[in-house]
Amino acid sequence: MGRVIVVTSGKGGVGKTTSTANLGTALALLDKTVVVVDADVGLRNLDIVMGLESRIVYTSMDVIEKQCELNKALVRDRRVDGLMLLAASQKNNKDDIQPEQMKAICDKLRTTHDFVLIDSPAGIERGFRNASAGADEAIIVTTPDVSAIRDADRIIGLLQNARIEPINLVLNRFSAELVGNGSMMDQDDVLDILNIDLIGVVPEDSGVITSTNRGIPLVYEDGSPGAQAYMRIARRLTGQRIPIPDFAQKGLLNNIMNWFKKKK
Amino acid sequence: MANPIVALRAYRDGLHLIIKPHLSIAEVEEAIQQEISRMNRSLSGTSVQIVLKCPVLEEEEISLLRSKLQETYDLTVRGVEVTEAPVSAPIAAAPTMHTITPATDSRDSRDSEPSRIVPHTIRSGQTEEFPQGSLIIYGDVNSGSEVRAGGDIVVLGTLRGSAYAGMNGRLSAVIIAMDLAALQLQIGNYMHRPTVSQKPRGYPEIARIGAEDVIIVEKFVKF
């Protein structure tokens, strides 16, 4: 039986879609079978970030309306084995789908795949309820700013009421430099407020923008700090124990200091 | 020193004339005179809302007050409202000096009240309400959430949301938090917006209505 994980945040623009695309790809690179589901009906984006836009024939709406079989609507990602996308309909809107229908799709997908990642829309309304209906776990994506954190806090409350657990946190767009000069919350401050388990910290990486525009998730090109962070999160999702590096300690000066400390 | 019977307060909707428990209407009139003379500016032409925090005045006493205010001080009475009086203090037994301090309606009401334990953090958008008594929260009260209780509120964590204790008018209610970082506190009808400091103080704090009828927040040592 596969795991159904909803990727959500409350606030928009914090990196839900980017995280879904990268974690899905990273899990597939770790030899898992994965479906990424775009639940943002009417404002779909996951297909673009995954670079699969041109290959969509059927959407989840067609499956619900029984226009096609579920496995026919899945778009196979040719770059890696075991990665599929279920696109959202761009013509409909969120009220056209019922939470039960999403749940039925998720329950079917989990019988054939190791991971089902659902890319939730922003907000706490119908779109979010649809996205979380079939999930048994959640990943909260937040950036270290107060408005995103308050929204994440709201979402965590709603997920807990819906008995969706565990809830793991991805701290996105983390800037060691800003934390260093005291103008950004560090991960301890964020965890102090949200009080859930941290599964990963993704540093600010300008590579994300180019990768989105080219439709190639970051994790395909190893080496960038963002790609490494997503690979680590994917490994943690599969149960491996990998420590979270302390990004705040980075920077040339700190590296030199640490080097001296080690020598002693 | 604050007048024990009558208080004039400026609120967003204008002046409020608050009348607390008293012995006679004559005493009230005297107190009004004192209170108005205490203010250094003329109130001529303004309007005032009478707020009764005492067992209700007779109809004719109110109209007497109304005309008295109009004639003597040129104050128009906008309206009369009755907010729930602290249940205690039957008039005859009340001492002439009746100030509201945490001690007056005492432990008794606190002891007879039920309390409810909330064994988790209260998150943004969630509201916890318990009008019958006190709330004890084993966790944080996060920004964007609200806790309301008829009695006290005790937060065994950080209070970042808004807290409203004594929602039924029990002014001896207090708010205690291990880290009191709330943006807004309310006890009975009194409101307080603590100055926000970024750093946690590192000790628990208590908010209560002090002798000057304002909410004070201080280090919580013991009750």
Side-chain angles (χ1 to χ4, degrees):
Chain A
M1 237 7 191
R3 291 158 65 183
V4 183
I5 307 175
V6 60
V7 181
T8 185
S9 69
K11 188 174 176 294
V14 295
K16 287 179 294 296
T17 305
T18 310
S19 296
T20 311
N22 280 290
L23 290 178
T25 311
L27 285 166
L29 289 169
L30 297 171
D31 296 330
K32 303 288 177 190
T33 53
V34 184
V35 195
V36 288
V37 180
D38 195 343
D40 205 345
V41 180
L43 284 170
R44 72 177 185 202
N45 273 327
L46 186 57
D47 52 329
I48 302 179
V49 178
M50 304 270 300
L52 299 173
E53 193 185 2
S54 60
R55 297 186 35 219
I56 295 168
V57 182
Y58 296 112
T59 64
S60 52
M61 200 69 215
D62 299 315
V63 177
I64 286 165
E65 287 172 344
K66 301 213 183 337
Q67 301 288 316
C68 82
E69 289 294 310
L70 177 57
N71 55 3
K72 245 180 146 182
L74 299 179
V75 181
R76 179 181 298 279
D77 191 324
R78 293 203 183 109
R79 293 163 293 192
V80 55
D81 280 338
L83 180 59
M84 303 279 208
L85 165 74
L86 179 60
S89 162
Q90 186 72 340
K91 294 172 289 194
N92 297 77
N93 64 50
K94 289 167 179 80
D95 295 333
D96 297 339
I97 292 185
Q98 307 291 327
E100 302 77 49
Q101 294 169 325
M102 272 301 281
K103 188 175 187 314
I105 290 179
C106 294
D107 285 344
K108 225 179 229 175
L109 288 174
R110 78 193 315 162
T111 60
T112 48
H113 292 79
D114 298 327
F115 284 92
V116 180
L117 297 187
I118 304 165
D119 180 24
S120 159
I124 54 170
E125 297 84 15
R126 184 64 162 274
F128 163 72
R129 275 186 286 138
N130 283 343
S132 57
D136 31 37
E137 294 175 44
I139 290 176
I140 305 278
V141 183
T142 186
T143 51
D145 51 274
V146 279
S147 53
I149 286 166
R150 181 190 273 193
D151 291 0
D153 191 46
R154 176 93 168 101
I155 287 282
I156 295 167
L158 295 173
L159 290 170
Q160 284 175 339
N161 286 347
R163 308 250 173 271
I164 295 175
E165 258 164 327
I167 303 170
N168 285 304
L169 183 73
V170 170
L171 187 55
N172 198 12
R173 305 196 63 176
F174 185 83
S175 159
E177 195 187 336
L178 289 178
V179 170
N181 67 29
S183 45
M184 187 186 264
M185 280 194 238
D186 72 9
Q187 63 193 57
D188 292 339
D189 297 335
V190 176
L191 291 177
D192 195 36
I193 296 173
L194 295 181
N195 197 19
I196 55 172
D197 291 331
L198 182 69
I199 198 170
V201 178
V202 182
E204 175 83 55
D205 186 341
S206 57
V208 171
I209 297 170
T210 35
S211 98
T212 303
N213 290 340
R214 289 160 63 207
I216 305 171
L218 218 51
V219 288
Y220 281 122
E221 296 160 64
D222 225 6
S224 82
Q228 288 174 357
Y230 280 120
M231 282 310 293
R232 279 194 296 268
I233 296 170
R235 285 181 200 279
R236 289 184 199 112
L237 276 175
T238 63
Q240 295 182 37
R241 287 172 171 271
I242 296 169
I244 293 169
D246 197 353
F247 289 99
Q249 291 298 313
K250 280 215 176 137
L252 185 63
L253 191 64
N254 275 320
N255 280 347
I256 295 170
M257 301 273 272
N258 288 342
W259 187 74
F260 274 111
K261 274 180 202 157
K262 273 179 203 159
K263 283 275 168 183
K264 269 181 194 170
Chain B
M1 203 209 108
N3 196 307
I5 300 168
V6 161
L8 261 178
R9 292 274 138 78
Y11 287 99
R12 193 178 284 179
D13 60 329
L15 271 182
H16 283 197
L17 180 70
I18 300 156
I19 301 176
K20 292 176 217 171
H22 51 270
L23 287 175
S24 67
I25 191 74
E27 200 184 38
V28 173
E29 280 172 24
E30 195 192 314
I32 291 175
Q33 201 244 314
Q34 276 177 13
E35 187 71 6
I36 287 177
S37 64
R38 216 164 59 90
M39 304 194 93
N40 288 327
R41 60 201 175 90
S42 162
L43 296 171
S44 173
T46 48
S47 72
V48 70
Q49 174 94 6
I50 293 181
V51 181
L52 298 176
K53 281 193 183 168
C54 53
V56 187
L57 289 172
E58 296 288 325
E59 199 61 35
E60 53 194 76
E61 288 179 320
I62 290 173
S63 64
L64 189 79
L65 264 183
R66 196 188 282 266
S67 57
K68 177 104 182 165
L69 284 169
Q70 182 76 65
E71 284 162 23
T72 327
Y73 311 104
D74 192 21
L75 272 171
T76 322
V77 175
R78 265 197 318 266
V80 179
E81 70 181 87
V82 184
T83 59
E84 252 173 89
V87 221
S88 62
I91 292 193
T96 350
M97 292 288 286
H98 180 91
T99 44
I100 297 161
T101 59
T104 42
D105 57 343
S106 82
R107 305 289 169 92
D108 298 342
S109 55
R110 191 168 275 123
D111 287 345
S112 61
E113 267 172 10
S115 40
R116 187 208 272 168
I117 288 168
V118 183
H120 55 79
T121 288
I122 298 171
R123 296 187 182 272
S124 174
Q126 296 176 334
T127 305
E128 203 62 53
E129 190 179 277
F130 190 55
Q132 296 90 338
S134 300
L135 267 178
I136 302 163
I137 292 133
Y138 292 0
D140 297 342
V141 175
N142 276 352
S143 151
S145 68
E146 201 178 322
V147 280
R148 302 149 71 84
D152 303 338
I153 293 172
V154 179
V155 182
L156 296 167
T158 307
L159 171 58
R160 303 184 188 89
S162 56
Y164 182 5
M167 59 186 284
N168 300 330
R170 177 157 86 69
L171 297 179
S172 65
V174 297
I175 300 168
I176 301 172
M178 291 301 114
D179 183 6
L180 207 157
L183 295 178
Q184 219 174 70
L185 298 172
Q186 203 176 339
I187 298 175
N189 298 326
Y190 297 88
M191 189 88 134
H192 182 60
R193 294 198 300 145
T195 41
V196 195
S197 87
Q198 294 298 317
K199 275 191 188 147
R201 274 149 294 274
Y203 50 80
E205 286 185 301
I206 180 170
R208 63 162 150 236
I209 297 180
E212 292 286 294
D213 273 9
V214 287
I215 295 181
I216 51 170
V217 178
E218 59 195 359
K219 186 172 179 178
F220 178 66
V221 186
K222 68 177 186 182
F223 205 70

PDB file of all heavy atoms in Angstrom, chain A residues 120-152:
ATOM      1  N   SER A 120      -1.254  20.721  -3.336  1.00  0.00           N
ATOM      2  CA  SER A 120      -2.467  21.412  -2.905  1.00  0.00           C
ATOM      3  C   SER A 120      -2.456  22.862  -3.394  1.00  0.00           C
ATOM      4  O   SER A 120      -1.405  23.470  -3.504  1.00  0.00           O
ATOM      5  CB  SER A 120      -2.517  21.379  -1.374  1.00  0.00           C
ATOM      6  OG  SER A 120      -3.347  22.373  -0.872  1.00  0.00           O
ATOM      7  N   PRO A 121      -3.613  23.423  -3.694  1.00  0.00           N
ATOM      8  CA  PRO A 121      -3.652  24.857  -3.980  1.00  0.00           C
ATOM      9  C   PRO A 121      -3.506  25.663  -2.693  1.00  0.00           C
ATOM     10  O   PRO A 121      -3.650  25.118  -1.598  1.00  0.00           O
ATOM     11  CB  PRO A 121      -5.041  25.054  -4.595  1.00  0.00           C
ATOM     12  CG  PRO A 121      -5.849  23.928  -4.087  1.00  0.00           C
ATOM     13  CD  PRO A 121      -4.916  22.787  -3.854  1.00  0.00           C
ATOM     14  N   ALA A 122      -3.221  26.958  -2.830  1.00  0.00           N
ATOM     15  CA  ALA A 122      -3.169  27.826  -1.651  1.00  0.00           C
ATOM     16  C   ALA A 122      -4.579  27.985  -1.097  1.00  0.00           C
ATOM     17  O   ALA A 122      -5.559  27.712  -1.785  1.00  0.00           O
ATOM     18  CB  ALA A 122      -2.583  29.179  -2.033  1.00  0.00           C
ATOM     19  N   GLY A 123      -4.643  28.414   0.127  1.00  0.00           N
ATOM     20  CA  GLY A 123      -5.960  28.671   0.711  1.00  0.00           C
ATOM     21  C   GLY A 123      -6.424  27.546   1.602  1.00  0.00           C
ATOM     22  O   GLY A 123      -5.762  26.516   1.738  1.00  0.00           O
ATOM     23  N   ILE A 124      -7.567  27.762   2.249  1.00  0.00           N
ATOM     24  CA  ILE A 124      -8.096  26.757   3.159  1.00  0.00           C
ATOM     25  C   ILE A 124      -9.489  26.323   2.723  1.00  0.00           C
ATOM     26  O   ILE A 124     -10.214  25.708   3.466  1.00  0.00           O
ATOM     27  CB  ILE A 124      -8.160  27.296   4.602  1.00  0.00           C
ATOM     28  CG1 ILE A 124      -8.934  28.616   4.646  1.00  0.00           C
ATOM     29  CG2 ILE A 124      -6.783  27.484   5.176  1.00  0.00           C
ATOM     30  CD1 ILE A 124      -9.233  29.084   6.039  1.00  0.00           C
ATOM     31  N   GLU A 125      -9.860  26.669   1.497  1.00  0.00           N
ATOM     32  CA  GLU A 125     -11.222  26.397   1.069  1.00  0.00           C
ATOM     33  C   GLU A 125     -11.308  25.039   0.367  1.00  0.00           C
ATOM     34  O   GLU A 125     -10.510  24.162   0.584  1.00  0.00           O
ATOM     35  CB  GLU A 125     -11.725  27.518   0.157  1.00  0.00           C
ATOM     36  CG  GLU A 125     -11.793  28.871   0.837  1.00  0.00           C
ATOM     37  CD  GLU A 125     -10.463  29.587   0.822  1.00  0.00           C
ATOM     38  OE1 GLU A 125      -9.574  29.173   0.058  1.00  0.00           O
ATOM     39  OE2 GLU A 125     -10.296  30.557   1.595  1.00  0.00           O
ATOM     40  N   ARG A 126     -12.254  24.950  -0.524  1.00  0.00           N
ATOM     41  CA  ARG A 126     -12.563  23.700  -1.197  1.00  0.00           C
ATOM     42  C   ARG A 126     -11.351  23.020  -1.811  1.00  0.00           C
ATOM     43  O   ARG A 126     -11.175  21.809  -1.682  1.00  0.00           O
ATOM     44  CB  ARG A 126     -13.615  23.991  -2.281  1.00  0.00           C
ATOM     45  CG  ARG A 126     -14.108  22.767  -3.003  1.00  0.00           C
ATOM     46  CD  ARG A 126     -14.824  21.839  -2.049  1.00  0.00           C
ATOM     47  NE  ARG A 126     -15.628  20.908  -2.819  1.00  0.00           N
ATOM     48  CZ  ARG A 126     -16.854  21.163  -3.243  1.00  0.00           C
ATOM     49  NH1 ARG A 126     -17.431  22.315  -2.940  1.00  0.00           N
ATOM     50  NH2 ARG A 126     -17.524  20.290  -3.938  1.00  0.00           N
ATOM     51  N   GLY A 127     -10.490  23.820  -2.463  1.00  0.00           N
ATOM     52  CA  GLY A 127      -9.316  23.236  -3.107  1.00  0.00           C
ATOM     53  C   GLY A 127      -8.434  22.507  -2.118  1.00  0.00           C
ATOM     54  O   GLY A 127      -7.958  21.395  -2.374  1.00  0.00           O
ATOM     55  N   PHE A 128      -8.226  23.116  -0.969  1.00  0.00           N
ATOM     56  CA  PHE A 128      -7.408  22.481   0.070  1.00  0.00           C
ATOM     57  C   PHE A 128      -8.109  21.238   0.603  1.00  0.00           C
ATOM     58  O   PHE A 128      -7.481  20.204   0.836  1.00  0.00           O
ATOM     59  CB  PHE A 128      -7.148  23.492   1.202  1.00  0.00           C
ATOM     60  CG  PHE A 128      -6.679  22.853   2.476  1.00  0.00           C
ATOM     61  CD1 PHE A 128      -5.400  22.331   2.580  1.00  0.00           C
ATOM     62  CD2 PHE A 128      -7.525  22.767   3.573  1.00  0.00           C
ATOM     63  CE1 PHE A 128      -4.971  21.732   3.753  1.00  0.00           C
ATOM     64  CE2 PHE A 128      -7.106  22.169   4.744  1.00  0.00           C
ATOM     65  CZ  PHE A 128      -5.820  21.655   4.831  1.00  0.00           C
ATOM     66  N   ARG A 129      -9.436  21.333   0.777  1.00  0.00           N
ATOM     67  CA  ARG A 129     -10.163  20.173   1.311  1.00  0.00           C
ATOM     68  C   ARG A 129     -10.129  18.999   0.335  1.00  0.00           C
ATOM     69  O   ARG A 129      -9.967  17.847   0.731  1.00  0.00           O
ATOM     70  CB  ARG A 129     -11.595  20.560   1.670  1.00  0.00           C
ATOM     71  CG  ARG A 129     -11.668  21.162   3.084  1.00  0.00           C
ATOM     72  CD  ARG A 129     -13.091  21.396   3.490  1.00  0.00           C
ATOM     73  NE  ARG A 129     -13.638  22.544   2.792  1.00  0.00           N
ATOM     74  CZ  ARG A 129     -14.854  22.614   2.272  1.00  0.00           C
ATOM     75  NH1 ARG A 129     -15.638  21.565   2.344  1.00  0.00           N
ATOM     76  NH2 ARG A 129     -15.260  23.708   1.669  1.00  0.00           N
ATOM     77  N   ASN A 130     -10.250  19.322  -0.953  1.00  0.00           N
ATOM     78  CA  ASN A 130     -10.132  18.279  -1.971  1.00  0.00           C
ATOM     79  C   ASN A 130      -8.755  17.635  -1.905  1.00  0.00           C
ATOM     80  O   ASN A 130      -8.621  16.409  -1.934  1.00  0.00           O
ATOM     81  CB  ASN A 130     -10.333  18.859  -3.373  1.00  0.00           C
ATOM     82  CG  ASN A 130     -11.800  19.113  -3.682  1.00  0.00           C
ATOM     83  OD1 ASN A 130     -12.671  18.587  -3.001  1.00  0.00           O
ATOM     84  ND2 ASN A 130     -12.049  19.931  -4.673  1.00  0.00           N
ATOM     85  N   ALA A 131      -7.728  18.484  -1.827  1.00  0.00           N
ATOM     86  CA  ALA A 131      -6.357  17.973  -1.874  1.00  0.00           C
ATOM     87  C   ALA A 131      -6.057  17.087  -0.678  1.00  0.00           C
ATOM     88  O   ALA A 131      -5.335  16.096  -0.792  1.00  0.00           O
ATOM     89  CB  ALA A 131      -5.367  19.138  -1.938  1.00  0.00           C
ATOM     90  N   SER A 132      -6.591  17.450   0.488  1.00  0.00           N
ATOM     91  CA  SER A 132      -6.228  16.697   1.684  1.00  0.00           C
ATOM     92  C   SER A 132      -7.180  15.532   1.962  1.00  0.00           C
ATOM     93  O   SER A 132      -6.918  14.727   2.852  1.00  0.00           O
ATOM     94  CB  SER A 132      -6.168  17.629   2.893  1.00  0.00           C
ATOM     95  OG  SER A 132      -7.396  18.278   3.048  1.00  0.00           O
ATOM     96  N   ALA A 133      -8.257  15.441   1.178  1.00  0.00           N
ATOM     97  CA  ALA A 133      -9.281  14.433   1.482  1.00  0.00           C
ATOM     98  C   ALA A 133      -8.726  13.016   1.492  1.00  0.00           C
ATOM     99  O   ALA A 133      -9.052  12.224   2.371  1.00  0.00           O
ATOM    100  CB  ALA A 133     -10.419  14.535   0.469  1.00  0.00           C
ATOM    101  N   GLY A 134      -7.870  12.713   0.517  1.00  0.00           N
ATOM    102  CA  GLY A 134      -7.396  11.338   0.423  1.00  0.00           C
ATOM    103  C   GLY A 134      -6.064  11.095   1.096  1.00  0.00           C
ATOM    104  O   GLY A 134      -5.528  10.001   1.042  1.00  0.00           O
ATOM    105  N   ALA A 135      -5.506  12.147   1.747  1.00  0.00           N
ATOM    106  CA  ALA A 135      -4.145  12.044   2.273  1.00  0.00           C
ATOM    107  C   ALA A 135      -4.132  11.445   3.662  1.00  0.00           C
ATOM    108  O   ALA A 135      -5.056  11.617   4.440  1.00  0.00           O
ATOM    109  CB  ALA A 135      -3.497  13.425   2.309  1.00  0.00           C
ATOM    110  N   ASP A 136      -3.040  10.693   3.953  1.00  0.00           N
ATOM    111  CA  ASP A 136      -2.887  10.266   5.340  1.00  0.00           C
ATOM    112  C   ASP A 136      -1.680  10.906   5.986  1.00  0.00           C
ATOM    113  O   ASP A 136      -1.463  10.751   7.183  1.00  0.00           O
ATOM    114  CB  ASP A 136      -2.835   8.747   5.476  1.00  0.00           C
ATOM    115  CG  ASP A 136      -2.227   8.049   4.294  1.00  0.00           C
ATOM    116  OD1 ASP A 136      -1.262   8.606   3.730  1.00  0.00           O
ATOM    117  OD2 ASP A 136      -2.704   6.978   3.921  1.00  0.00           O
ATOM    118  N   GLU A 137      -0.885  11.622   5.214  1.00  0.00           N
ATOM    119  CA  GLU A 137       0.234  12.367   5.778  1.00  0.00           C
ATOM    120  C   GLU A 137       0.254  13.719   5.100  1.00  0.00           C
ATOM    121  O   GLU A 137      -0.369  13.909   4.061  1.00  0.00           O
ATOM    122  CB  GLU A 137       1.577  11.703   5.454  1.00  0.00           C
ATOM    123  CG  GLU A 137       1.810  10.360   6.074  1.00  0.00           C
ATOM    124  CD  GLU A 137       3.115   9.760   5.567  1.00  0.00           C
ATOM    125  OE1 GLU A 137       4.122  10.494   5.489  1.00  0.00           O
ATOM    126  OE2 GLU A 137       3.116   8.578   5.227  1.00  0.00           O
ATOM    127  N   ALA A 138       1.023  14.650   5.691  1.00  0.00           N
ATOM    128  CA  ALA A 138       1.124  15.963   5.075  1.00  0.00           C
ATOM    129  C   ALA A 138       2.540  16.482   5.165  1.00  0.00           C
ATOM    130  O   ALA A 138       3.275  16.176   6.098  1.00  0.00           O
ATOM    131  CB  ALA A 138       0.175  16.940   5.744  1.00  0.00           C
ATOM    132  N   ILE A 139       2.913  17.251   4.152  1.00  0.00           N
ATOM    133  CA  ILE A 139       4.152  18.020   4.203  1.00  0.00           C
ATOM    134  C   ILE A 139       3.748  19.478   4.104  1.00  0.00           C
ATOM    135  O   ILE A 139       3.044  19.878   3.175  1.00  0.00           O
ATOM    136  CB  ILE A 139       5.098  17.644   3.046  1.00  0.00           C
ATOM    137  CG1 ILE A 139       5.652  16.231   3.262  1.00  0.00           C
ATOM    138  CG2 ILE A 139       6.235  18.643   2.939  1.00  0.00           C
ATOM    139  CD1 ILE A 139       6.523  15.740   2.132  1.00  0.00           C
ATOM    140  N   ILE A 140       4.139  20.262   5.097  1.00  0.00           N
ATOM    141  CA  ILE A 140       3.848  21.688   5.094  1.00  0.00           C
ATOM    142  C   ILE A 140       5.075  22.402   4.557  1.00  0.00           C
ATOM    143  O   ILE A 140       6.186  22.176   5.046  1.00  0.00           O
ATOM    144  CB  ILE A 140       3.578  22.204   6.526  1.00  0.00           C
ATOM    145  CG1 ILE A 140       2.465  21.412   7.198  1.00  0.00           C
ATOM    146  CG2 ILE A 140       3.300  23.689   6.517  1.00  0.00           C
ATOM    147  CD1 ILE A 140       1.106  21.848   6.841  1.00  0.00           C
ATOM    148  N   VAL A 141       4.876  23.233   3.546  1.00  0.00           N
ATOM    149  CA  VAL A 141       5.977  24.036   3.040  1.00  0.00           C
ATOM    150  C   VAL A 141       5.784  25.447   3.574  1.00  0.00           C
ATOM    151  O   VAL A 141       4.697  26.007   3.479  1.00  0.00           O
ATOM    152  CB  VAL A 141       5.984  24.054   1.500  1.00  0.00           C
ATOM    153  CG1 VAL A 141       7.176  24.838   0.980  1.00  0.00           C
ATOM    154  CG2 VAL A 141       6.011  22.639   0.944  1.00  0.00           C
ATOM    155  N   THR A 142       6.834  26.003   4.147  1.00  0.00           N
ATOM    156  CA  THR A 142       6.722  27.395   4.581  1.00  0.00           C
ATOM    157  C   THR A 142       8.047  28.093   4.352  1.00  0.00           C
ATOM    158  O   THR A 142       9.094  27.471   4.292  1.00  0.00           O
ATOM    159  CB  THR A 142       6.313  27.502   6.065  1.00  0.00           C
ATOM    160  OG1 THR A 142       6.080  28.881   6.369  1.00  0.00           O
ATOM    161  CG2 THR A 142       7.386  26.982   6.995  1.00  0.00           C
ATOM    162  N   THR A 143       7.979  29.408   4.191  1.00  0.00           N
ATOM    163  CA  THR A 143       9.188  30.219   4.147  1.00  0.00           C
ATOM    164  C   THR A 143       9.338  30.844   5.533  1.00  0.00           C
ATOM    165  O   THR A 143       8.360  30.913   6.274  1.00  0.00           O
ATOM    166  CB  THR A 143       9.069  31.315   3.070  1.00  0.00           C
ATOM    167  OG1 THR A 143       7.843  32.011   3.278  1.00  0.00           O
ATOM    168  CG2 THR A 143       9.059  30.725   1.676  1.00  0.00           C
ATOM    169  N   PRO A 144      10.542  31.277   5.887  1.00  0.00           N
ATOM    170  CA  PRO A 144      10.700  31.778   7.258  1.00  0.00           C
ATOM    171  C   PRO A 144      10.195  33.208   7.428  1.00  0.00           C
ATOM    172  O   PRO A 144      10.903  34.049   7.939  1.00  0.00           O
ATOM    173  CB  PRO A 144      12.213  31.707   7.500  1.00  0.00           C
ATOM    174  CG  PRO A 144      12.822  31.285   6.230  1.00  0.00           C
ATOM    175  CD  PRO A 144      11.809  31.245   5.172  1.00  0.00           C
ATOM    176  N   ASP A 145       8.978  33.504   7.001  1.00  0.00           N
ATOM    177  CA  ASP A 145       8.447  34.831   7.331  1.00  0.00           C
ATOM    178  C   ASP A 145       7.107  34.692   8.040  1.00  0.00           C
ATOM    179  O   ASP A 145       6.400  33.705   7.855  1.00  0.00           O
ATOM    180  CB  ASP A 145       8.342  35.732   6.094  1.00  0.00           C
ATOM    181  CG  ASP A 145       7.627  35.081   4.961  1.00  0.00           C
ATOM    182  OD1 ASP A 145       8.283  34.349   4.183  1.00  0.00           O
ATOM    183  OD2 ASP A 145       6.403  35.276   4.866  1.00  0.00           O
ATOM    184  N   VAL A 146       6.788  35.691   8.826  1.00  0.00           N
ATOM    185  CA  VAL A 146       5.675  35.558   9.771  1.00  0.00           C
ATOM    186  C   VAL A 146       4.335  35.271   9.100  1.00  0.00           C
ATOM    187  O   VAL A 146       3.543  34.498   9.625  1.00  0.00           O
ATOM    188  CB  VAL A 146       5.537  36.803  10.677  1.00  0.00           C
ATOM    189  CG1 VAL A 146       6.515  36.728  11.812  1.00  0.00           C
ATOM    190  CG2 VAL A 146       5.706  38.079   9.913  1.00  0.00           C
ATOM    191  N   SER A 147       4.096  35.856   7.919  1.00  0.00           N
ATOM    192  CA  SER A 147       2.786  35.631   7.309  1.00  0.00           C
ATOM    193  C   SER A 147       2.658  34.178   6.837  1.00  0.00           C
ATOM    194  O   SER A 147       1.626  33.540   7.031  1.00  0.00           O
ATOM    195  CB  SER A 147       2.551  36.609   6.156  1.00  0.00           C
ATOM    196  OG  SER A 147       3.616  36.550   5.251  1.00  0.00           O
ATOM    197  N   ALA A 148       3.723  33.645   6.243  1.00  0.00           N
ATOM    198  CA  ALA A 148       3.672  32.246   5.801  1.00  0.00           C
ATOM    199  C   ALA A 148       3.536  31.321   6.996  1.00  0.00           C
ATOM    200  O   ALA A 148       2.836  30.304   6.940  1.00  0.00           O
ATOM    201  CB  ALA A 148       4.934  31.902   5.006  1.00  0.00           C
ATOM    202  N   ILE A 149       4.175  31.684   8.095  1.00  0.00           N
ATOM    203  CA  ILE A 149       4.145  30.815   9.269  1.00  0.00           C
ATOM    204  C   ILE A 149       2.772  30.824   9.912  1.00  0.00           C
ATOM    205  O   ILE A 149       2.265  29.795  10.343  1.00  0.00           O
ATOM    206  CB  ILE A 149       5.257  31.221  10.251  1.00  0.00           C
ATOM    207  CG1 ILE A 149       6.593  30.764   9.672  1.00  0.00           C
ATOM    208  CG2 ILE A 149       5.049  30.602  11.620  1.00  0.00           C
ATOM    209  CD1 ILE A 149       7.773  31.347  10.327  1.00  0.00           C
ATOM    210  N   ARG A 150       2.147  31.987   9.941  1.00  0.00           N
ATOM    211  CA  ARG A 150       0.806  32.017  10.520  1.00  0.00           C
ATOM    212  C   ARG A 150      -0.157  31.166   9.676  1.00  0.00           C
ATOM    213  O   ARG A 150      -0.969  30.420  10.208  1.00  0.00           O
ATOM    214  CB  ARG A 150       0.279  33.448  10.604  1.00  0.00           C
ATOM    215  CG  ARG A 150      -1.093  33.456  11.228  1.00  0.00           C
ATOM    216  CD  ARG A 150      -1.757  34.782  11.115  1.00  0.00           C
ATOM    217  NE  ARG A 150      -1.387  35.628  12.239  1.00  0.00           N
ATOM    218  CZ  ARG A 150      -2.026  36.750  12.512  1.00  0.00           C
ATOM    219  NH1 ARG A 150      -3.024  37.158  11.776  1.00  0.00           N
ATOM    220  NH2 ARG A 150      -1.665  37.481  13.540  1.00  0.00           N
ATOM    221  N   ASP A 151      -0.029  31.264   8.352  1.00  0.00           N
ATOM    222  CA  ASP A 151      -0.889  30.459   7.482  1.00  0.00           C
ATOM    223  C   ASP A 151      -0.604  28.968   7.659  1.00  0.00           C
ATOM    224  O   ASP A 151      -1.518  28.146   7.681  1.00  0.00           O
ATOM    225  CB  ASP A 151      -0.696  30.863   6.013  1.00  0.00           C
ATOM    226  CG  ASP A 151      -1.250  32.253   5.745  1.00  0.00           C
ATOM    227  OD1 ASP A 151      -1.757  32.863   6.701  1.00  0.00           O
ATOM    228  OD2 ASP A 151      -1.174  32.720   4.601  1.00  0.00           O
ATOM    229  N   ALA A 152       0.682  28.641   7.794  1.00  0.00           N
ATOM    230  CA  ALA A 152       1.051  27.235   8.000  1.00  0.00           C
ATOM    231  C   ALA A 152       0.436  26.736   9.308  1.00  0.00           C
ATOM    232  O   ALA A 152      -0.067  25.614   9.386  1.00  0.00           O
ATOM    233  CB  ALA A 152       2.573  27.095   8.036  1.00  0.00           C
TER     234      ALA A 152
END
